Each structure stands twice: as C-alpha cells, then as structure tokens.
Amino acid sequence: MLIKNKADFSSADITPESIYLRRREFIGASLIGSAALMTGTNARADAELARLNFKKTTRDTSGGFSTDEALTPYDDVKRYNNFYEFGMDKGDPEKYAGGLTTMPWSVAMEGEIAKPGNYPLEDILSWVDLEERIYRLRCVEAWSMVIPWVGFSLAALIKKVQPTSKANYVQFVTLERPAEMPGQRSRFSTIDWPYVEGLRMDEAMHPLTLLAVGVYGRVLPNQNGAPLRLVVPWKYGFKSIKSIVKIRFLEKQPPTTWQQLAPSEYGFYANVNPQVDHPRWSQKSERRLPTTLFSPNRIPTQRFNGYAEQVAGLYKGMDLSRYY
Amino acid sequence: MPLSLLIFVLALLPLPLMVWQSSQGPDPGKALVLLSGLWAIRLLIITLALTPIKRWLGFIAVLRYRRMMGLYVWFYASLHLVTVLTYLLGWSWAVFLEEFSERPYMALGITAWLLLLPLGLTSNRWMMKKLGRRWKRLHRLVYVIAILACGHFIWLIRSDYAEALVYALLMLVLLLSRLPARTRSLLISE
C-alpha cells in the first residue's frame, strides 16, 4: 500500500463514479454516524459500528500525521487488545467489552484550569472537527500496528478549558465500573484501579497527540477504548489510555498505573526507544502485525517510534535512559 | 497396546490445538511461544502426578506411562525453545547471548531445558540398565526442573498471577508429597 504523491490530491481522493452515484446513502449514513456518537452508542460485537463524519487523511506523510505503511486490518485492530479492565488475554477485551455502557458519557475536567466542569461528550465534540490520522502504535510488549484513527488534537480541548500557569502536567483517568469491567473484579490482578496515565503539558499540547473517537472511519469499538481515548504515537501503547472519564491539570507529575506497579520497568515518559530495553525483554525490534508462522515480520524499532523529527525536541538535554 | 496408543494420541493433541488457536490471532508466533510453554508445564505436572497417584490410589498401571509423559514434556519444552528462537529472537546469536545473560527468566528456562536433555536421552531401557542406581538419582533432576519452570513462568507475568499461581501450587503439592512422611508431618504441624 505505497501511496507516494506530491500532488494536492491523490487518486484515492477521487470518488469512484459508482460510489458518487450512491452519495446520498453515504451522507445519510455519516449523519447517522455522528448522531450515534453524539448520543453515544452501546456497541454490540455483532452490529456494525456507526460511520463517522470526518476529514479524510491525504496520506501526506510530512509532519507525522499519516504514513504510507500498510494498515493493520480492521479485524486485527478489533480482536487484539491490551485492555486489562476486560481481562488479561489479548482476545478478552473483544469478548467482554460489548456490555460496556458508553452512553451517556462525560469527561470531568479539573485542576489548574479556568473552566473546570463535567463536560458531556457531545459538547466536547461540538467544539472540534474530526480528522483521520494514520499512526504507528508500538506496544511495550514488542508488537506494533498501523492504525487509521479518527479524532481531534488534545490541544484543541485543552485550549478550550484554559489551563492556568500552574498546569504543568495532565493526568487522565479511565472509567472504573467493575460491574461492566470483569478485569476490575479479578482478585489476582495487581493493578490498583482505576487506570491512570499522564503527560507533561508540552507533550499534551503537541499537535501529534490525539484524542480518538473512531477507527477505520467508524465509532471506536468498546475494546479499543470507546468512546474517547488518547493516542500518543511516539510513546508505548500503555500511555494511550482508554475510555477516559477524567482529565486533571496538575502542577506536579502525577503517578501512572504501570510506573506504580513496576517502576524499574515502566517510566512516566515511556517514549519508544530501541536503546533502552525493558528489563525483561529487548526493545530493539518489533513484530509488525499481522504476522504468520511463516513470516514473523520482525522490523527494527525506531527512536520515538519514527516520530523523532517531530518530538525529539521535547526531550532535549534529558538523559532518556534515566527518564525512560 | 490400545490404551498406550490412546494416551500417546491424547498427549499429542495439544500440538494441533495450539497451532489452530494461535492462527486465530494476528500474532501466531507469539501465541505459539506462550501455548507451547504452557503445555510443557501442564505435561510436567501430569508426569509428576503419576507417582503420587500410584501411591494414593494404588493405581500401579499409571507408572507405565510416566516415561511417555516425561518425553512429551521434553517435546513441548523443545517446541517452546524453538518457537522462542524463531519468533522472538529471530535465530540471532547476538540477541540470544544478550537475552540469556541479561534476562534471568530466560536463563532459568534454558537451564531447565538443558537439564531435560540428559533425562530425555536416558529414558530408555538400555540406559536404565547401564546406569543402574545412578539412573534414579539422575532423574531426581526433574524436581529442579519443576522449580526452574515455575520460576520462569512467574517471572514473566505483567500483572495477573492467578494462572501461574495455580500451576505453582499444584507443583508444590506434588513436590511436598515426595518428602518422607516424617518431614512432611513436621512441616505441616508447624
């Protein structure tokens, strides 16, 4: 899937005539899609998820907002997840997340901001324009995917709530609802729910940092973090927290779930770095999914997951083997 | 003998099962690594359970299948090692040496596999005769292997200990059952 095009539009932008003739159906469908997201969806595994209305990527790779690498198929994106709230196996989230209620949904914005409040998701969506971005996702477990997200810059939301000069960090909190999240009921899990993550303010404001509401042009499946999740493409996947219910603006660096659990293995920054191994496995290479038994598809891991040009400046002068 | 054939086939079934299961996800190599390791541990537990079963239930016939089960442990452990080398380390010696020296769980696993080697190679009537009493002493290595395998398994957990704890507990019971009765009663009464 190599689309390298310096023209203003690529052949992918030209609507095939057959689809043009059916345009009314699509307009109708996309309206239903945004309506579905506005009012929330209770996605069932068997039902097709609603389509979203968004600005499609031009697949222009400059700036890191897109990539010409082959996409990981939609089915694999949906069935291979780490979302421990629904269980430890990669297939558990797809199996058990169907019962999660994502309607109504609101996000509490607190701390060092001028406009704190509990904002309904439909209000937040009315402030922003949705766009598509194709990012590499590198899991700390040494596998990776290429995923077309639909979302908006976190910066757009942050500007809206007007952070004060004391807002140095942003903390994110995932939903805690054991009744619908079987993983939170496990007595053997060492995770202290709810799951929390954090970013430095400049990381949060970086144009690549995305709040996603969809994938593959449709509303996020529950197992992928519906209805609202973070995507920070230059960091290990666990930083990209799912099903966010709270965003807190803080003066001091907040604790994060994995760092609390195993501080020698997971740092606050968690930037993708082939030179700093996880104590229990190497980070020098990754398996780009999907793989098969006959083609393990191992590729070298890139510094900052290939986004060094865009983000390395954020960490100038920092010893990244110490701040891993 | 039909029963031994049945057991032979049953113990082989995990192989097609794990190939099928791993093909259900986008990362079959990694899945095969996990499943082959899991089945090596399961077969090891079954092997270790045969002697106590004989003692508690007086079911002497089970001992006839202990060698076959032991060899299956060797088979699944070897499959585990080969899949790790193929799918996780890409058959690179540099990577292998680094992983072996830097990751303790890796060293535990490799040591367990190396200790399985002499047991597998001497699991035949000829070697039993040749080694005589030393054969039994040699095969007590299986207890060391069991402890190494548990350590290897538990060390790799990211956050949920339930499954590994079940296996470790079973292993512990089977090892304790082998202590002489007097030592055991001392341990339990204390």
Side-chain angles (χ1 to χ4, degrees), chain A residues 194-212:
Chain A
Y195 191 86
V196 285
E197 258 307 336
L199 293 173
R200 218 167 55 186
M201 196 59 173
D202 56 346
E203 297 174 324
M205 291 299 290
H206 194 279
L208 284 176
T209 305
L210 186 77
L211 276 175

Side-chain angles (χ1 to χ4, degrees), chain A:
Chain A
M1 191 174 294
L2 218 71
I3 304 173
K4 284 190 174 162
N5 211 320
K6 293 287 169 214
D8 285 336
F9 60 90
S10 70
S11 58
D13 293 331
I14 301 167
T15 310
E17 198 184 5
S18 59
I19 290 182
Y20 179 74
L21 294 173
R22 292 171 57 206
R23 65 194 179 279
R24 280 176 200 287
E25 287 172 49
F26 288 101
I27 294 166
S30 72
L31 283 176
I32 292 164
S34 36
L37 187 67
M38 296 292 218
T39 54
T41 53
N42 288 326
R44 290 255 153 74
D46 50 341
E48 273 224 338
L49 291 164
R51 277 180 192 282
L52 289 166
N53 218 348
F54 59 93
K55 193 175 127 227
K56 263 191 85 65
T57 174
T58 57
R59 298 207 81 146
D60 171 11
T61 58
S62 65
F65 298 108
S66 192
T67 165
D68 48 24
E69 289 154 283
L71 300 181
T72 301
Y74 187 38
D75 275 343
D76 292 335
V77 172
K78 285 192 295 182
R79 69 177 171 164
Y80 199 77
N81 301 100
N82 275 332
F83 198 172
Y84 285 2
E85 280 81 347
F86 294 103
M88 305 292 301
D89 277 353
K90 297 284 184 291
D92 283 346
E94 187 192 29
K95 251 184 259 168
Y96 304 119
L100 178 71
T101 316
T102 56
M103 173 193 78
W105 196 274
S106 57
V107 181
M109 310 266 276
E110 306 174 347
E112 300 294 341
I113 45 175
K115 296 186 165 174
N118 197 20
Y119 295 98
L121 184 59
E122 53 268 31
D123 289 5
I124 293 173
L125 289 174
S126 70
W127 305 335
V128 295
D129 291 319
L130 296 182
E131 58 178 294
E132 185 176 41
R133 297 198 189 168
I134 303 178
Y135 284 160
R136 291 176 286 277
L137 175 88
R138 169 61 157 81
C139 179
V140 74
E141 297 167 343
W143 53 266
S144 64
M145 295 183 176
V146 178
I147 303 176
W149 302 106
V150 178
F152 53 94
S153 275
L154 172 61
L157 176 62
I158 291 180
K159 279 179 200 147
K160 202 81 185 173
V161 293
Q162 300 171 12
T164 70
S165 60
K166 280 189 189 165
N168 299 325
Y169 291 91
V170 189
Q171 186 186 36
F172 305 85
V173 184
T174 293
L175 177 72
E176 183 177 12
R177 192 182 286 160
E180 291 181 358
M181 297 176 138
Q184 291 180 340
R185 303 197 295 263
S186 164
R187 271 177 232 152
F188 295 92
S189 172
T190 50
I191 294 177
D192 184 18
W193 309 108
Y195 191 86
V196 285
E197 258 307 336
L199 293 173
R200 218 167 55 186
M201 196 59 173
D202 56 346
E203 297 174 324
M205 291 299 290
H206 194 279
L208 284 176
T209 305
L210 186 77
L211 276 175
V213 293
V215 69
Y216 266 97
R218 295 172 185 275
V219 170
L220 277 176
N222 287 351
Q223 64 268 28
N224 293 87
L228 183 74
R229 68 167 293 169
L230 188 66
V231 182
V232 194
W234 71 92
K235 292 175 180 285
Y236 291 121
F238 67 86
K239 293 295 290 183
S240 293
I241 184 168
K242 294 168 169 173
S243 305
I244 298 166
V245 291
K246 195 179 283 184
I247 301 178
R248 239 186 238 139
F249 295 79
L250 304 167
E251 198 178 350
K252 296 214 171 90
Q253 183 180 306
T256 61
T257 293
W258 282 105
Q259 193 194 15
Q260 282 174 298
L261 211 58
S264 65
E265 301 190 344
Y266 311 98
F268 174 81
Y269 288 96
N271 293 318
V272 175
N273 190 344
Q275 278 131 38
V276 178
D277 284 343
H278 183 282
R280 289 184 287 169
W281 55 83
S282 164
Q283 297 291 27
K284 291 182 184 67
S285 63
E286 64 203 49
R287 298 183 307 282
R288 174 60 56 82
L289 307 188
T291 66
T292 70
L293 290 180
F294 305 104
S295 65
N297 210 13
R298 298 191 68 76
I299 56 172
T301 289
Q302 306 178 71
R303 244 175 108 237
F304 296 107
N305 202 21
Y307 299 96
E309 200 187 313
Q310 289 81 30
V311 301
L314 296 173
Y315 310 100
K316 227 185 211 156
M318 277 175 73
D319 177 0
L320 293 178
S321 60
R322 200 174 148 221
Y323 297 99
Y324 49 88

Side-chain angles (χ1 to χ4, degrees), chain B residues 7-21:
Chain B
I7 292 173
F8 177 86
V9 172
L10 277 181
L12 194 61
L13 276 184
L15 183 64
L17 180 74
M18 71 176 79
V19 171
W20 178 80
Q21 275 178 312

Side-chain angles (χ1 to χ4, degrees), chain B residues 124-135:
Chain B
N124 53 68
R125 213 155 279 180
W126 184 67
M127 284 306 281
M128 280 178 94
K129 243 181 231 158
K130 209 175 156 199
L131 291 171
R133 296 186 62 184
R134 284 174 301 164
W135 186 91

Side-chain angles (χ1 to χ4, degrees), chain B residues 136-188:
Chain B
K136 199 162 186 185
R137 230 180 298 154
L138 175 69
H139 278 249
R140 289 209 176 111
L141 273 179
V142 73
Y143 305 132
V144 180
I145 292 168
I147 291 164
L148 290 174
C150 278
H152 172 75
F153 191 17
I154 291 171
W155 213 311
L156 269 165
I157 293 163
R158 281 190 72 193
S159 95
D160 196 321
Y161 290 85
E163 193 181 21
L165 280 181
V166 169
Y167 291 120
L169 206 67
L170 281 171
M171 217 74 108
L172 189 71
V173 168
L174 293 172
L175 292 190
L176 282 179
S177 76
R178 281 164 164 87
L179 290 176
R182 205 188 307 165
T183 326
R184 226 185 313 153
S185 67
L186 272 175
L187 277 176
I188 291 164

Side-chain angles (χ1 to χ4, degrees), chain B residues 66-80:
Chain B
R66 198 171 56 176
R67 180 197 297 167
M68 197 204 294
M69 287 297 121
L71 287 170
Y72 264 117
V73 174
W74 192 27
F75 170 69
Y76 286 113
S78 302
L79 184 65
H80 180 59

